[in-house]
Amino acid sequence: MGGAAPEGLPDWVTLLRAPNPGPMTLDGTNTWVLRAPGETRGVVIDPGPLDESHLRRIAGHGPFHAILITHGHHDHVEGAARLSELLGGTPVLAADPAHAIPAEPMVSGHLPVDGLTVEVLATPGHTADSVSFLVNGEALFTGDTILGRGTTVVAHPDGDLGKYLSSLRRLSAYEKILMLPGHGPARDDVSVVAREYLSHREERLAQVTAAMRAGAETAEQVVDIVYPDIDPAVRFAAIWSAAAQLDYLNHKNRESGTLAGGLDRL
């Protein structure tokens, strides 16, 4: 899924991939170091897990104005406090103050970075605190909202499918903008990938609706019908997604006065 991988990265971007590959992290968490040519300080996005060698490698690319967090999952933020310590107290900016140093929420808008224009975009859905970063109007750092390969889990209840679909629609407007995700390869057009994600979600929702009409009431029952060949190692993630899909569809049904089985209320 997704458009072609670009041939190279802008000269102000360096990728440092964390050594945490796995079914949920693909090749590992992408840590992005941004620094405008000729500038002393830059920023780092998603320091990743608490892996000392990885964090020291990031620190070797300092100094930084700030450590930026796309969302609060441990494979993106676990090492942030230690990296801040290694860098002598560099601030950690996150939408959820629980992950920020100092503990103040990052808000949408522009961040001051020497030689770079960094805009914070609220893109909730994968998690409640998910944000993306548009840099220089030419690259979008999407965290786990859109991946470079495969699809994203919307982990209910923190994840919200309605908000996620809205975030995908927002990102689909950024045509011909380089996509630099939290996992997997870069893609050359975030809008193309966002639209593919939307199409995939619509197909899944149709399948879940059919499963509900067939009598499925729980996330586990939906997974049995919609994901019959799921790898047992990632079945838990499919259950999270199914719970988010059920919550979304049941909410829509309540709003429209339609039963889950598809029959209008009399």
Side-chain angles (χ1 to χ4, degrees):
M1 178 176 288
E7 293 185 359
L9 298 175
D11 61 1
W12 45 268
V13 177
T14 301
L15 170 61
L16 303 176
R17 182 169 290 124
N20 62 335
M24 302 297 291
T25 56
L26 304 182
D27 305 313
T29 300
N30 292 336
T31 295
W32 300 101
V33 173
L34 317 183
R35 178 176 286 101
E39 297 292 349
T40 300
R41 293 194 298 172
V43 293
V44 57
I45 298 175
D46 287 350
L50 187 57
D51 180 281
E52 188 72 10
S53 62
H54 177 62
L55 297 174
R56 288 189 176 276
R57 185 183 177 203
I58 299 169
H61 287 259
F64 300 113
H65 281 284
I67 300 162
L68 308 182
I69 304 299
T70 61
H71 66 292
H73 282 165
H74 72 277
D75 57 312
H76 293 256
V77 75
E78 185 182 39
R82 174 58 178 155
L83 179 60
S84 174
E85 182 180 83
L86 289 172
L87 291 166
T90 295
V92 179
L93 306 184
D96 184 344
H99 305 300
I101 302 173
E104 299 174 356
M106 177 174 56
V107 298
S108 297
H110 288 87
L111 299 175
V113 180
D114 294 344
L116 298 175
T117 301
V118 181
E119 183 179 0
V120 182
L121 306 177
T123 50
H126 170 65
T127 61
D129 66 338
S130 288
V131 299
S132 299
F133 300 103
L134 177 64
V135 182
N136 288 358
E138 62 178 300
L140 251 171
F141 296 82
T142 57
D144 285 2
T145 299
I146 307 181
L147 304 179
R149 184 174 72 249
T151 57
T152 295
V153 173
V154 178
H156 183 75
D158 183 49
D160 183 292
L161 185 55
K163 292 179 180 178
Y164 183 65
L165 294 174
S166 294
S167 293
L168 290 179
R169 294 186 189 101
R170 181 178 192 183
L171 294 178
S172 70
Y174 290 88
E175 296 185 355
K176 303 187 186 305
I177 299 293
L178 178 67
M179 188 190 93
L180 301 177
H183 303 279
R187 296 295 177 184
D188 60 8
D189 191 332
V190 68
S191 69
V192 171
V193 189
R195 286 193 288 268
E196 290 182 356
Y197 264 50
L198 282 166
S199 177
H200 172 74
R201 291 290 170 176
E202 290 169 357
E203 292 175 2
R204 280 291 188 224
L205 285 170
Q207 293 171 338
V208 174
T209 297
M212 294 168 70
R213 288 174 176 166
E217 297 181 350
T218 67
E220 290 81 1
Q221 291 169 342
V222 167
V223 170
D224 290 339
I225 296 172
V226 176
Y227 307 86
D229 301 319
I230 190 74
D231 183 342
V234 294
R235 178 180 168 85
F236 71 94
I239 291 172
W240 287 345
S241 287
Q245 292 158 349
L246 284 172
D247 180 72
Y248 173 76
L249 289 169
N250 283 326
H251 182 73
K252 285 189 67 177
N253 290 335
R254 287 193 297 270
E255 286 185 339
S256 66
T258 301
L259 296 174
L263 299 176
D264 291 339
R265 295 185 186 275
L266 298 178

